[in-house]
Amino acid sequence: QVQLVESGGGSVQAGGSLRLSCAASGRTSSPYDVGWFRQAPGKERESVAAINWSGGSTTYADSVKGRFTISRDNGKNTVYLQMGSLKPEDTAVYYCAAKYSSLWGAVLTSRAYDYWGQGTQVTVSS
């Protein structure tokens, strides 16, 4: 089992940047993949980005491609989401999630992930 805690959220103006962190604990000795997801009020949860155990495979939703970068530091058991060129449409609660690695690697399907953090709020103003 992996426990996850997100941090780094806040309020920024459009065009600004933020870096979110996802700190993992628990059974982190086994390979695990991590995804970032977000949910705005009244909307369904949507995928943002995902990364496999080694960091060699990443995938992004079209809405954030070219603006966001996912990375990880396994020595610190931490996954990052660097967000740039932020838009008001990026306003949401951001969640990280983990699953133990499998043949499929990093995926953007939320139901593939077993362990979820509590979320961190990102607000982007015009």
Side-chain angles (χ1 to χ4, degrees), residues 29-47:
S29 59
S30 297
Y32 60 94
D33 306 323
V34 174
W36 283 97
F37 304 86
R38 65 188 184 186
Q39 187 167 24
K43 294 187 176 181
E44 293 293 310
R45 182 175 58 203
E46 65 177 351
S47 303

Side-chain angles (χ1 to χ4, degrees), residues 97-112:
K99 68 177 186 69
Y100 287 107
S101 298
S102 69
L103 175 66
W104 295 273
V107 296
L108 288 174
T109 305
S110 61
R111 60 178 171 266

